[in-house]
Each structure stands twice: as structure tokens, then as C-alpha cells.
């Protein structure tokens, strides 16, 4: 989908705001967008996640693609859409969730770990693939999978990524990253998140 492709081309880093609360999410979104982030997800196991998604979409939907993470059911896809979200990220390969997301014209980024899961996700309509958890894999795994996966499908490594560990993954064929606790930890200030975001952007653009 064009919206995701444009956001991913601008900066292929997904900010994962696990644990964020509605009262703080707009300020954190401000810091991320100012640093250059164009993809932001609020995991559904955060406090009142749909309120946060709605607030982010209202404040930053014209400058960033807002979505949800840890989406486990087709019903939640609909709730995210109703809140203004345009991107669905999951930890697993659930073809029902992927198909519902694609049917609604939203970006689908399912988690996968094996080649079988990756191809099942693509057949169901995935927009991009999220290798998760990356800590349990290696750049060598990405290189091997890249040899068989369609080259035009974005592959993101997610889990344990820091500014100084992106290089080997990129060299192996990762097109982008999902960034969790190294970017945002529950309770972090907007200033802290902004500093971490700028470090990631500098590392990405300087590589």
C-alpha cells in the first residue's frame, strides 16, 4: 500500500510504545515525529491503547502512520481502524488477522520466524514481514531467508535492536527495524524518547 511504502521509504524504523498511556502519548509522538519517525505503533497490551491510538492519529496522522502492535484477533483490527489506526503489527502469523487487515486496506506487519510462516503471511496479504524475536535469530538467518523471499517485500528485524547493532542486520538484508525498549520504556519522558529516537535516526542514516 502506498501510504506504508512512503512512510517506510522516509524512515524504515517502527517506534513500539509498549506501556504508553493516553495522557503522555501525544508528547511522545511529538518527539518521535520531530526526530523523523513516520511509523508508530501502540501495542494493545498497553493501558487504554485505543485511546492512545486515537490521540496519536488525531495529532500526527498527517505526518506519521499510526497503528497497533500485539494485535491478536480480527476483531481488534476493526477496533484499531475505528480509532484511526492504519497499521497492524502482530507477534505471530495469524492469517485471519492478516486477511482482515488487508481487506480493510491497512498495512499488515505480522511476526514470523520461519520461511513457512513468512510465505503463509504473504499469501494472506501481508504488507511487510517482521522477524520476531530477532534475539533468537541472527543476521545469517536473514541472509538465508532473503535468498528465497520476494525482494520487494520489506523485512524488519524486531527484538533487541540498538543503534549500534543495526549494521550486521542491514548487511544481511533487513530493510528496517522495530524498536522497543531501547527507544521507549514505560515511564520515559518525551525528552528521553526524543534523544533515543535521534540516536537511532543518526545510526540509520549514517550507516
Amino acid at each position: 500500500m502506498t501510504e506504508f511504502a512512503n512512510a517506510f521509504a522516509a524512515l524504515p524504523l517502527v517506534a513500539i510504545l509498549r506501556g504508553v498511556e493516553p495522557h503522555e502519548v501525544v508528547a511522545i509522538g511529538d518527539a518521535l515525529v520531530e526526530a523523523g519517525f513516520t511509523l508508530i505503533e501502540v501495542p494493545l497490551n498497553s493501558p487504554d491503547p485505543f485511546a492512545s491510538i486515537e490521540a496519536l492519529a488525531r495529532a500526527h496522522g498527517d505526518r506519521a502512520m499510526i497503528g497497533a502492535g500485539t494485535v491478536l484477533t480480527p476483531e481488534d483490527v476493526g477496533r484499531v481502524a475505528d480509532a484511526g489506526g492504519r497499521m497492524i503489527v502482530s507477534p505471530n502469523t495469524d492469517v485471519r488477522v492478516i486477511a482482515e487487515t488487508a481487506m480493510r486496506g491497512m498495512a499488515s506487519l505480522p511476526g514470523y520466524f520461519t520461511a513457512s510462516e513468512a510465505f503463509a503471511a504473504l499469501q494472506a496479504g501481508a504488507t511487510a514481514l517482521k522477524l520476531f524475536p530477532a534475539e533468537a535469530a541472527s543476521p545469517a538467518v536473514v541472509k538465508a531467508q532473503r535468498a528465497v523471499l520476494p525482494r520487494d517485500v520489506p523485512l524488519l528485524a524486531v527484538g533487541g535492536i540498538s543503534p549500534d547493532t543495526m549494521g550486521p542486520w542491514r548487511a544481511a538484508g533487513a530493510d528496517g527495524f522495530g524498536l522497543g525498549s531501547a527507544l521507549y520504556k514505560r515511564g520515559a519522558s518525551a525528552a528521553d524518547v526524543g534523544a533515543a529516537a535521534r540516536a537511532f535516526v543518526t545510526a540509520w542514516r549514517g550507516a
Side-chain angles (χ1 to χ4, degrees):
M1 80 183 281
T2 303
E3 184 181 1
F4 176 81
N6 290 342
F8 195 79
L11 185 72
L13 305 177
V14 180
I16 303 169
L17 304 182
R18 191 177 309 281
V20 74
E21 298 190 34
H23 70 86
E24 62 186 347
V25 75
V26 171
I28 289 169
D30 289 343
L32 289 167
V33 170
E34 286 170 12
F37 274 71
T38 53
L39 297 162
I40 303 173
E41 70 162 89
V42 177
L44 294 188
N45 55 0
S46 303
D48 204 357
F50 298 103
S52 290
I53 292 166
E54 186 173 3
L56 276 176
R58 190 164 50 243
H60 298 297
D62 59 336
R63 298 174 64 192
M65 195 169 191
I66 310 301
T70 319
V71 180
L72 304 178
T73 69
E75 292 74 23
D76 279 339
V77 174
R79 294 185 69 189
V80 173
D82 290 342
R86 299 285 298 142
M87 177 175 65
I88 298 294
V89 186
S90 298
N92 60 336
T93 305
D94 187 324
V95 296
R96 302 170 307 147
V97 171
I98 299 166
E100 179 70 19
T101 305
M103 186 272 291
R104 289 177 176 272
M106 302 164 72
S108 170
L109 284 70
Y112 84 98
F113 200 73
T114 67
S116 294
E117 291 171 344
F119 282 105
L122 293 175
Q123 188 171 24
T127 309
L129 296 171
K130 163 188 162 181
L131 177 64
F132 177 80
E135 299 102 320
S138 68
V141 170
V142 169
K143 184 176 181 180
Q145 292 176 344
R146 261 289 170 227
V148 295
L149 290 171
R151 192 63 195 92
D152 61 342
V153 174
L155 189 160
L156 296 85
V158 181
I161 303 299
S162 64
D164 58 357
T165 61
M166 292 193 293
W169 293 99
R170 290 184 73 177
D175 301 298
F177 299 94
L179 309 173
S181 59
L183 176 65
Y184 171 81
K185 290 187 180 73
R186 187 170 185 177
S189 69
D192 290 339
V193 176
R198 289 189 292 275
F200 272 108
V201 172
T202 297
W204 174 266
R205 291 181 174 159

